Amino acid sequence: MPSFTYPEKNELERFVAARYRTGWVWQVIFLSALIIAIFSLSALLLNIVDGAFGYVAYEFKKDPLTISEKPLDQLNQQELIALLQANLSRGAYNKLNNEKPMESRSQGELYNLVIERIIQVKTLQTYPLFRSLFEKAAIEAEVSERYPGARLEFRSWLSPTFLTTPQSSKAEFAGVRTAVLGSLWLVGIAIAFALPVGVGAAVYLQEYANKKSFISRVIQTNINNLAGVPSIVYGMLGLAIFVRAWEPFTSGAMFGITDTNGRTILSAGLTMGILVLPLVIINAQEAIKAVPDSLRQAAYGVGATRWQTVWHHVLPNALPGILTGSILAMSRAIGETAPLIVVGASTFITIDPQSPFTKFTALPIQIYQWTSRAQSEFQAIAAAAILVLLGLLLTLNATAILLRNRFQRRW
Amino acid sequence: MQPANNTQYAIETRNLSIFYGEFEAVTNVNLQIEKQKITAIIGPSGCGKSTLLRAFNRMNDFVPTSHVRGEILLQGTNLYGKEIDPVEVRRRIGMVFQKPNPFPKSIYENIAWGARINGYKGNMDELVEQSLRAAALWDEVKDKLKQSAYALSGGQQQRLCIARTIAIQPEIILMDEPASALDPIATLKIEELMQELKRNYTIIIVTHNMQQAARVSDYTAMMMLHGDTRSGTVIEYDRTDVIFTRPKDKRTEDYVTGRFG
Amino acid sequence: MTTKISSLAAPNWAAQLRKKARWGESAIEASLFAVGILTILITLAITIVLGDQALLFFAEPEVNLQEFFLTTSWQPQIGDFGIWALVSATLTTSAIAILVALPLGLSAAIYLSEYAKPRARAVLKPILETLAGIPTVVYGYFALLFVSPIVRNLVGVEKVGVYNMLSAGLVMGIMILPLIASISEDALSAVPNSLREGAYAMGATKFEVSSQVLVPAALSGIGASVIVGISRAVGETMIVAIASGAGPKFSFNPLDAAETMTGHIARISGGDLPYGTVDYTSLFAIALMLFLVTLILNLISQWIVTKFREQYE
Ligand SMILES: Nc1ncnc2c1ncn2[C@@H]1O[C@H](COP(=O)(O)OP(=O)(O)O)[C@@H](O)[C@H]1O
Ligand SMILES: [Mg+2]
């Protein structure tokens, strides 16, 4: 028998200890990757929260105290209208009244009007949340030195008014109402297209096609590839087909609508629908795969046709999975930005979208726009809009998790 | 009496071979299944019992590569003829599977569904009750028809599957090891039920439990892997008492006495 | 026991087994097939649309293939169309992203698949999933307003501008990390347990098993994850559109501001671009390049994954 020499006794102990030490060091290194991930996520979220709240230094053209005894935000509709009448020139007042009768404007809208037209606020400087909390004195000193006469106020850029007011060219009065509505329209159209088509394709691949056949392998590979196509390429597709080639349809000209071009909600929604289609298909396939074969056999065994089996048994049992997948697809659609830029989302829209044939803006488009502006107040509303977007995503994902738990299958 | 050639047997196979792609799983089977009798198919595992059984109601159609050579005749009609509708075949030739597979619906719906898709127009409550009675399950479930079938025990679930099959009024019932997932008491109930059912139906049961085959069946087909191709075939087919007491084939004797397999 | 349910009523039942015309069934099957085919039509449409406009672009008098593929200046105003001006930025940002995402993603995958207890996994996995679910425009905000200031402070405000490829690339790495981690983890957990047990039975430590047995065994899956990661990085738009700079520049210096292929498409198409101009068609030529590159990368990674699966089946 050959003899092998291995470390013994002390040497062995040292050797093993060294190996364990190496192992331990690497375990820490592996774990630190996850810690970096956690750190990045926290930094990202804190950075956004930091931007969305904080002190703002304002300058007024007219001091609110000189035009009203009560604080402005406590005035009712009538009082606000009176204020506007008293402080605006007749022409300016009538013009506003013609745009939208004063009586039909909400208290919030009127308040914004007073601030915008009479007080004429100008933001001089915004401060992030954490500085505002911990360096209040320094901020006050800085403001009184640099902007004498300015008013310092703590502002939450994310507010109920922010959610309910439309766009404005001034950050102080801008809201995300039109953008949120645009996003909802988009996601609605996208899922209305992608869900039936996606589930149909998944049913075809899982229940009808011979999986080994050439055609079904081509379709499957193709779907996996579509899932990896950059989103901006879908934007180019949407631009060439929906916006341009199908303009008579997507602009609504076919239906007698004349004042738009092809850059409508419909074009963008269909583009998004195609973009999320592979996602819907792949998720629906997984859900259908999870339905046990014994159930299909049971149905065929009592003389069901293929479609009866699919419609009465496979789909109902795959439904929670399909819905969860669709919600994930909706999350994807609601956050996608690049294709919307290409398809031609408008960046400035102040009226609510009324039909699929209107110009539109969307939440991520607003975020992109505002982030790209150099003024700090726009970056503040970008942060507030991001919080709205993350809120929407959170709601969607919570729904998905609830669905999954509620309908968990027993097999 | 009906014309002799098509009513003598429930099912007749002629030189039947069944393939999965290139692989010949079952070779050259010639069987004549008697009406209103219980026929057992026995043999070691992997010898093609399930494959053969599933050919009788064209469940093998769902394996894309599968195909048959030879004929399966029902009253003279070839089951694999071009003009035959497999959906209709499965309605007439019901099947009970190895593991109970009720639909994830109520007990009532489990039975009503098959009837409904097959266009049943009569009184549904009555059909459900009659089927459950026929499957000896009525007394146990009559107060909870709206409950999920998944709340039943394994044995009850299997009888529900039998009731579901009865409800669509098949001519023949195929059972693939229907008791192998059940405890002895539930097994006994199924076996008793089979004796009741054979008054009205032809039953073909696959089992690898010798006692069960001997107890319940009238006829037995013995299958075995055979030849260089290792494909299964029926090596002996006879009355059950003959197979179990004085088989002609040595391999059958070894198998039924437990010396092999 | 007697029962009313009896089969004897139909002595001649075999004659009824004939095929019935099931028009509904056939119509449904046909429409499902059509829907399946539709997915192929989408790919065809992408190819045709991009190819068609790209051909128009290359047919322009001021454009030629040689210039397009071999020169380094992209200035449509003066008729310069050298794609390398954009490709350089795409390569630089993608390389930074992979340099960040590969080591972090692989480490995270090893930790999750070999070290983490179920409780820890239950906390750590959702964090990665959350990172994966954040819209890229939000990452763009983060890159411009958080990472870029830090980079500038570290390197020197006078050396780096607000827009630079480094910040965009770093954040893109964080964005891709969960993708690489999840594919690599799948690959690691697909390694059969027998291999793990065999190695432990030789007296190997957990680290030795992970690094010397499992990672090599899962190497092709890990490779696939890197390729998918590259493809994502190359196609990513918003982070680079916001943080990497506006304006093509041939440069591989991470501290420079330069525009990627995707960033260029986003910026130029953001305006109301007149159809049929060179500006318009040039975007399709760029998009065609993007599409082909990502398509090839995706096909390779799928091929690897399939091979890998076969290996352990
Ligand atoms: N779907 C299938 N595809 C390919 N081969 C199969 C399939 N089902 C069964 N087989 C093969 O056919 C042979 C017979 O199987 P089976 O009929 O299930 O045997 P038994 O029921 O007697 O145990 C086995 O070799 C099995 O591997
Ligand atoms: Mg079997």
Side-chain angles (χ1 to χ4, degrees):
Chain A
M1 207 180 124
S3 85
F4 303 106
T5 39
Y6 280 109
E8 295 288 352
K9 301 218 175 75
N10 287 345
E11 197 194 342
L12 175 67
E13 247 168 52
R14 255 180 286 122
F15 178 64
V16 171
R19 284 165 65 206
Y20 271 119
R21 218 163 26 247
T22 320
W24 186 83
V25 168
W26 276 97
Q27 179 170 357
V28 170
I29 292 176
F30 293 151
L31 182 59
S32 58
L34 284 155
I35 292 173
I36 291 176
I38 295 174
F39 171 79
S40 309
L41 182 59
S42 326
L44 187 148
L45 295 177
L46 289 177
N47 178 230
I48 291 159
V49 172
D50 196 31
F53 309 92
Y55 279 111
V56 186
Y58 294 114
E59 186 183 70
F60 298 137
K61 192 132 185 230
K62 215 172 218 169
D63 195 321
L65 295 173
T66 63
I67 59 167
S68 157
E69 293 105 62
K70 271 204 272 179
L72 288 179
D73 50 357
Q74 284 173 23
L75 296 179
N76 67 24
Q77 217 176 347
Q78 254 57 50
E79 292 166 320
L80 286 167
I81 295 178
L83 256 186
L84 285 166
Q85 251 165 338
N87 289 283
L88 287 178
S89 74
R90 178 170 290 269
Y93 181 85
N94 285 345
K95 187 157 171 267
L96 284 171
N97 204 23
N98 283 345
E99 276 167 20
K100 191 176 175 190
M102 287 296 171
E103 283 71 32
S104 68
R105 296 183 190 228
S106 71
Q107 197 248 351
E109 282 174 83
L110 290 167
Y111 172 81
N112 275 346
L113 216 52
V114 170
I115 301 283
E116 193 178 343
R117 302 299 291 261
I118 305 173
I119 312 285
Q120 298 195 18
V121 170
K122 190 164 161 247
T123 301
L124 300 167
Q125 179 78 44
T126 67
Y127 295 93
L129 178 61
F130 296 111
R131 266 196 79 192
S132 302
L133 291 180
F134 303 116
E135 297 173 18
K136 187 166 179 229
I139 293 175
E140 275 167 353
E142 182 185 319
V143 168
S144 60
E145 181 193 329
R146 275 177 47 194
Y147 313 105
R151 174 176 297 243
L152 194 63
E153 208 175 88
F154 189 88
R155 174 160 181 164
S156 160
W157 293 92
L158 178 66
S159 67
T161 346
F162 182 70
L163 292 175
T164 51
T165 46
Q167 275 266 315
S168 160
S169 54
K170 296 213 178 79
E172 296 83 358
F173 310 108
V176 288
R177 178 195 178 92
T178 39
V180 169
L181 289 174
S183 280
L184 294 179
W185 266 101
L186 272 180
V187 171
I189 293 173
I191 208 72
F193 167 81
L195 188 59
V197 172
V199 173
V203 165
Y204 176 74
L205 286 172
Q206 294 304 124
E207 302 289 320
Y208 283 82
N210 174 353
K211 294 197 185 54
K212 296 227 165 69
S213 75
F214 177 70
I215 183 80
S216 79
R217 285 210 329 253
V218 169
I219 296 179
Q220 189 70 62
T221 311
N222 179 55
I223 289 169
N224 295 345
N225 278 329
L226 281 179
V229 170
S231 61
I232 198 160
V233 170
Y234 284 103
M236 301 299 281
L237 178 72
L239 174 63
I241 301 223
F242 300 133
V243 175
R244 228 185 131 182
W246 293 10
E247 179 151 20
F249 168 62
T250 51
S251 68
M254 264 166 132
F255 313 98
I257 295 164
T258 48
D259 55 346
T260 50
N261 55 21
R263 300 179 185 273
T264 55
I265 297 185
L266 184 59
S267 295
L270 290 174
T271 307
M272 266 327 173
I274 289 187
L275 185 146
V276 298
L277 182 63
L279 210 66
V280 174
I281 298 179
I282 291 169
N283 280 310
Q285 279 187 289
E286 290 303 319
I288 291 173
K289 255 186 232 163
V291 175
D293 232 19
S294 65
L295 195 64
R296 289 180 190 90
Q297 303 208 339
Y300 289 130
V302 294
T305 61
R306 208 179 269 265
W307 179 246
Q308 282 168 332
T309 306
V310 169
W311 184 249
H312 291 278
H313 296 291
V314 177
L315 283 181
N317 286 292
L319 196 62
I322 293 175
L323 288 182
T324 315
S326 314
I327 292 176
L328 294 181
M330 286 159 81
S331 318
R332 172 85 192 275
I334 222 164
E336 269 298 345
T337 321
L340 298 183
I341 299 176
V342 177
V343 170
S346 316
T347 45
F348 192 77
I349 297 266
T350 53
I351 43 168
D352 294 352
Q354 302 295 337
S355 82
F357 306 111
T358 46
K359 293 194 291 178
F360 70 101
T361 185
L363 207 39
I365 288 286
Q366 285 313 318
I367 295 171
Y368 171 51
Q369 275 297 316
W370 289 336
T371 303
S372 316
R373 299 281 288 268
Q375 301 96 315
S376 63
E377 64 267 30
F378 279 101
Q379 293 172 349
I381 55 175
I386 289 177
L387 288 177
V388 176
L389 178 63
L390 294 182
L392 277 176
L393 288 174
L394 200 66
T395 317
L396 279 174
N397 284 294
T399 319
I401 292 170
L402 276 180
L403 263 178
R404 192 157 51 194
N405 294 345
R406 179 138 162 57
F407 293 101
Q408 209 127 50
R409 282 282 144 206
R410 282 151 296 196
W411 38 72
Chain B
M1 280 303 289
Q2 318 291 328
N5 74 326
N6 62 6
T7 56
Q8 204 171 351
Y9 302 110
I11 299 181
E12 197 175 346
T13 70
R14 295 209 181 131
N15 302 328
L16 176 67
S17 298
I18 310 170
F19 300 80
Y20 293 114
E22 300 283 287
F23 173 58
E24 189 168 3
V26 170
T27 307
N28 205 24
V29 170
N30 290 287
L31 272 183
Q32 283 127 5
I33 307 286
E34 300 282 341
K35 282 182 158 176
Q36 282 168 279
K37 293 280 186 295
I38 299 178
T39 302
I41 303 177
I42 61 171
S45 91
C47 70
K49 305 180 295 292
S50 301
T51 301
L52 178 60
L53 192 74
R54 294 163 71 90
F56 290 154
N57 70 342
R58 295 194 50 174
M59 280 309 264
N60 283 337
D61 288 15
F62 296 108
V63 181
T65 55
S66 78
H67 55 105
V68 304
R69 198 164 60 205
E71 291 182 320
I72 300 177
L73 299 173
L74 298 166
Q75 301 176 335
T77 308
N78 183 7
L79 203 57
Y80 276 87
K82 277 202 170 42
E83 74 289 358
I84 296 295
D85 186 347
V87 170
E88 200 58 32
V89 168
R90 291 182 208 116
R91 209 226 102 178
R92 298 292 186 164
I93 306 181
M95 185 158 206
V96 177
F97 298 85
Q98 186 164 355
K99 278 219 215 91
N101 57 351
F103 302 123
K105 294 173 183 277
S106 70
I107 294 171
Y108 186 97
E109 268 306 301
N110 257 277
I111 293 169
W113 188 77
R116 209 177 291 131
I117 59 156
N118 282 301
Y120 174 72
K121 298 231 172 51
N123 182 333
M124 192 60 85
D125 292 348
E126 196 177 329
L127 177 84
V128 170
E129 177 173 346
Q130 290 296 333
S131 313
L132 286 170
R133 278 190 194 284
L137 190 59
W138 174 250
D139 291 329
E140 293 161 58
V141 303
K142 65 179 176 219
D143 300 323
K144 44 183 183 183
L145 292 176
K146 292 279 172 277
Q147 284 182 18
S148 164
Y150 280 43
L152 298 176
S153 72
Q156 289 172 323
Q157 288 186 7
Q158 193 62 303
R159 275 178 285 146
L160 179 63
C161 291
I162 294 175
R164 169 177 86 187
T165 304
I166 294 170
I168 55 169
Q169 297 198 3
E171 307 295 328
I172 299 170
I173 300 178
L174 309 175
M175 299 185 173
D176 191 350
E177 308 198 30
S180 67
L182 306 182
D183 60 61
I185 296 174
T187 302
L188 186 65
K189 285 218 169 102
I190 302 272
E191 289 175 1
E192 285 169 4
L193 176 59
M194 288 171 64
Q195 297 304 326
E196 287 294 332
L197 294 176
K198 81 174 188 189
R199 297 193 198 167
N200 293 320
Y201 308 97
T202 304
I203 297 177
I204 307 175
I205 176 174
V206 164
T207 175
H208 58 219
N209 177 335
M210 279 331 102
Q211 281 86 13
Q212 187 172 54
R215 249 188 338 255
V216 302
S217 69
D218 304 296
Y219 291 84
T220 298
M222 171 71 206
M223 289 186 76
M224 191 71 81
L225 286 178
H226 145 104
D228 301 335
T229 55
R230 310 306 294 160
S231 69
T233 191
V234 173
I235 55 166
E236 190 168 0
Y237 175 51
D238 211 325
R239 293 220 318 274
T240 298
D241 53 343
V242 176
I243 294 277
F244 279 89
T245 53
R246 37 187 201 296
K248 298 188 186 65
D249 195 301
K250 179 76 171 60
R251 291 170 295 179
T252 310
E253 187 180 343
D254 286 351
Y255 186 73
V256 298
T257 53
R259 243 169 287 168
F260 161 78
Chain C
M1 189 183 82
T2 57
T3 160
K4 276 190 234 162
I5 296 174
S6 142
S7 62
L8 300 178
N12 223 347
W13 57 273
Q16 298 173 22
L17 298 181
R18 297 190 169 280
K19 268 202 183 114
K20 290 161 197 66
R22 298 182 190 275
W23 292 114
E25 288 282 325
S26 315
I28 286 167
E29 176 158 3
S31 16
L32 291 174
F33 178 68
V35 166
I37 292 296
L38 177 69
T39 60
I40 294 183
L41 294 185
I42 293 174
T43 306
L44 282 182
I46 294 176
T47 320
I48 292 171
V49 160
L50 299 184
D52 172 53
Q53 298 292 323
L55 279 181
L56 286 180
F57 169 73
F58 288 119
E60 295 280 346
E62 67 249 60
V63 184
N64 70 64
L65 275 176
Q66 205 179 346
E67 182 206 341
F68 185 77
F69 285 111
L70 296 178
T71 65
T72 58
S73 157
W74 185 279
Q75 280 176 305
Q77 315 84 291
I78 57 166
D80 275 0
F81 292 99
I83 189 82
W84 277 99
L86 302 170
V87 170
S88 63
T90 295
L91 288 180
T92 309
T93 49
S94 303
I96 297 170
I98 289 299
L99 286 178
V100 171
L102 175 61
L104 291 182
L106 185 55
S107 299
I110 295 175
Y111 191 85
L112 285 173
S113 115
E114 304 301 320
Y115 288 83
K117 306 225 160 44
R119 287 259 297 281
R121 270 182 66 92
V123 178
L124 295 172
K125 283 281 276 189
I127 288 174
L128 288 184
E129 281 162 15
T130 311
L131 268 182
I134 288 177
T136 58
V137 69
V138 179
Y139 278 111
Y141 175 96
F142 182 60
L144 184 66
L145 298 179
F146 185 82
V147 177
S148 173
I150 291 179
V151 166
R152 293 186 74 199
N153 273 333
L154 290 179
V155 183
V157 180
E158 65 294 340
K159 289 200 204 108
V160 215
V162 177
Y163 304 103
N164 57 73
M165 293 193 273
L166 183 57
S167 313
L170 289 175
V171 172
M172 210 145 82
I174 301 292
M175 181 203 85
I176 294 168
L177 186 164
L179 188 72
I180 293 199
S182 122
I183 303 179
S184 300
E185 199 202 337
D186 285 349
L188 285 170
S189 38
V191 176
N193 242 331
S194 56
L195 217 58
R196 242 176 227 104
E197 284 164 358
Y200 280 121
M202 311 269 303
T205 64
K206 193 165 237 177
F207 170 65
E208 287 159 351
V209 173
S210 307
S211 63
Q212 292 168 40
V213 178
L214 299 178
V215 169
L219 205 56
S220 49
I222 294 168
S225 81
V226 175
I227 294 173
V228 174
I230 295 175
S231 152
R232 270 292 286 280
V234 167
E236 167 49 33
T237 308
M238 292 320 295
I239 298 175
V240 288
I242 292 176
S244 143
K249 175 170 188 195
F250 179 72
S251 162
F252 293 100
N253 179 355
L255 300 180
D256 277 348
E259 197 166 53
T260 66
M261 298 158 81
T262 53
H264 183 73
I265 297 178
R267 181 170 61 88
I268 300 300
S269 63
D272 211 346
L273 200 56
Y275 303 143
T277 57
V278 192
D279 284 339
Y280 180 84
T281 52
S282 69
L283 298 189
F284 285 85
I286 301 170
L288 181 65
M289 296 262 303
L290 265 180
F291 176 66
L292 292 179
V293 168
T294 52
L295 181 75
I296 291 168
L297 290 174
N298 290 335
L299 282 173
I300 294 175
S301 79
Q302 273 190 64
W303 179 78
I304 293 177
V305 168
T306 324
K307 277 270 162 274
F308 181 69
R309 244 185 238 136
E310 279 165 9
Q311 189 183 331
Y312 290 119
E313 242 161 35

